[in-house]
Amino acid sequence: MISNDLSGALQLLLVGMITVFLVLLIVIFLGKALIWAVNKWAPEETVAKKAAPAAKAVAAIDATTKAIIDATISQITGGKGRATKITKL
């Protein structure tokens, strides 16, 4: 009686593990196929380039704003920090 129950349990364990393994293999291969299909047929996104905003940003920051930023950085860092580049976002 005990060996029959143990045999049935091991058989059920083996069938369950094989089933899970096969399902995971199917998921992996379908995922790879989906990635391949998207890379083959989907168009690549193009990013629009901005036209030199750095030159406009330097002209847009006046001397008063630059002095305020420099004073704030000096106060926060205890005089050890300084602004090397200021750009407007």
Side-chain angles (χ1 to χ4, degrees):
M1 185 85 175
I2 294 175
S3 66
N4 190 19
D5 292 339
L6 188 59
S7 173
L10 289 176
Q11 186 180 11
L12 185 61
L13 174 73
L14 185 64
V15 169
M17 291 182 81
I18 290 173
T19 303
V20 168
F21 181 73
L22 292 175
V23 168
L24 287 176
L25 280 178
I26 291 170
V27 168
I28 289 170
F29 287 126
L30 286 177
K32 286 184 179 185
L34 178 65
I35 291 171
W36 174 80
V38 167
N39 286 337
K40 182 172 176 74
W41 290 305
E44 188 172 332
E45 292 183 21
T46 57
V47 178
K49 294 182 180 179
K50 296 181 181 179
K56 293 180 182 178
V58 172
I61 298 175
D62 58 352
T64 307
T65 307
K66 185 175 181 336
I68 293 171
I69 293 172
D70 287 336
T72 305
I73 292 173
S74 178
Q75 183 179 7
I76 290 173
T77 61
K80 294 181 181 178
R82 64 187 181 107
T84 56
K85 181 180 179 183
I86 302 172
T87 58
K88 191 171 186 177
L89 298 177

